[in-house]
Amino acid sequence: MKAWRAACWLLGALVGGLGGSATAATPVRLQLNGYAGPEGAISVQHSGDTVDPYFALQALLLAREFGLDISAYAQPWAQWLLARQKPDATFDRFCRRGPVWAPCKTADADDTLLALWLRLVDSLPPALNTQAPWRASHRISSEALARLMDRERGIYLVSPVYPHGLLMDNLEVLSYQAACRHDCPAVKARSKRLAEAIHTTFWDRAARRFLVSTQPEQKTVAATFYPEHVGQLYPLLFDFQLLGLHPHTHYRDWMREHRASWLAQSQHDFAWGLVALVALKFDDRASAACWLRDSAHARGGAHWIVTDEVVQQILQSRAVAPAPAQAWCG
């Protein structure tokens, strides 16, 4: 498991199924001081030396979904990334070399990154995204995503290099399809088939849980907070229909079993702020407040990434304050 990917697979993304959230009358402006540079790049960590397009896209789309004003960052970031899209439509990760951001690693997963990129391009003002370079990017990105479809199982594969499917990636692709802006009847039909394929491929009827990968060893590996436990919560981000499980009951049971472990993550791993947004979605403001309190020490440090920063600002915009010191958060 790669550290950046581990930090925010929960969410990824996140960008489509949280649409029930009300937006403020006057949107609060997102503040990415220390993350966004003057050239448009958005680093993974505060004053960091790595840009991973997945997390910048995730953070911006998540902020937009929850009503924050991202106008100061969306177009500069999109133009910065468009200039670095490879001919096959995929993206690299970038490391700072002096004043320059240079490609240093390939993306962890092409399927979800392409879906998030397409979602951002669709959200840009028509005066911009109807121009030839953007239309071309949309076309080649859509074609590249289509090539990752596993025709036998009906799900998307991580990349040509990693030919297995992941639950969370497929939910993110499904979210993009659900927010269709182009050729919607065909896209909606694909979305329905993908939702059915996700159930068929990843739902373990005997264990009454989701498998997080098509890799055979996934059925026998010891369960850990990430990805197995996080994976069970992930469908709730998208209002994905659960088989034989009531969403609120499933959420309550997950929190009862894993809340203490989640709140302790920032001490040794990443802060996992996206779980706090699931809590907000289910009107569990107490758990979100506990996260604000128990992860405050991590803000801006090695265990805090741009998505956590966005979550913190979303919660503030919804008047969620850190839990009092004496509040029980076990």
Side-chain angles (χ1 to χ4, degrees), residues 238-280:
F238 303 99
D239 296 325
F240 186 70
Q241 183 179 0
L242 304 177
L243 295 177
L245 299 172
H246 190 281
H248 284 82
T249 301
H250 181 60
Y251 171 79
R252 180 201 64 199
D253 292 344
W254 191 96
M255 276 293 175
R256 180 184 295 126
E257 185 173 358
H258 302 297
R259 187 167 83 154
S261 176
W262 160 52
L263 293 173
Q265 290 299 307
S266 64
Q267 298 174 19
H268 54 82
D269 190 19
F270 294 95
W272 291 99
L274 287 171
V275 177
L277 288 188
V278 182
L280 186 66

Side-chain angles (χ1 to χ4, degrees), residues 105-173:
K105 297 179 181 179
T106 58
D108 278 342
D110 292 338
D111 55 349
T112 186
L113 180 51
L114 287 166
L116 293 183
W117 171 245
L118 287 164
R119 183 76 184 272
L120 183 69
V121 172
D122 282 349
S123 74
L124 294 172
L128 181 66
N129 67 17
T130 56
Q131 295 175 10
W134 297 96
R135 292 201 308 270
S137 176
H138 198 285
R139 176 182 55 79
I140 66 171
S141 299
S142 298
E143 292 170 352
L145 182 59
R147 289 194 294 271
L148 294 174
M149 167 66 74
D150 179 338
R151 302 297 173 184
E152 181 177 346
R153 287 179 287 201
I155 62 169
Y156 289 86
L157 304 178
V158 172
S159 72
V161 178
Y162 300 106
H164 53 266
L166 301 174
L167 169 67
M168 300 177 225
D169 283 32
N170 276 272
L171 287 170
E172 289 182 311
V173 176

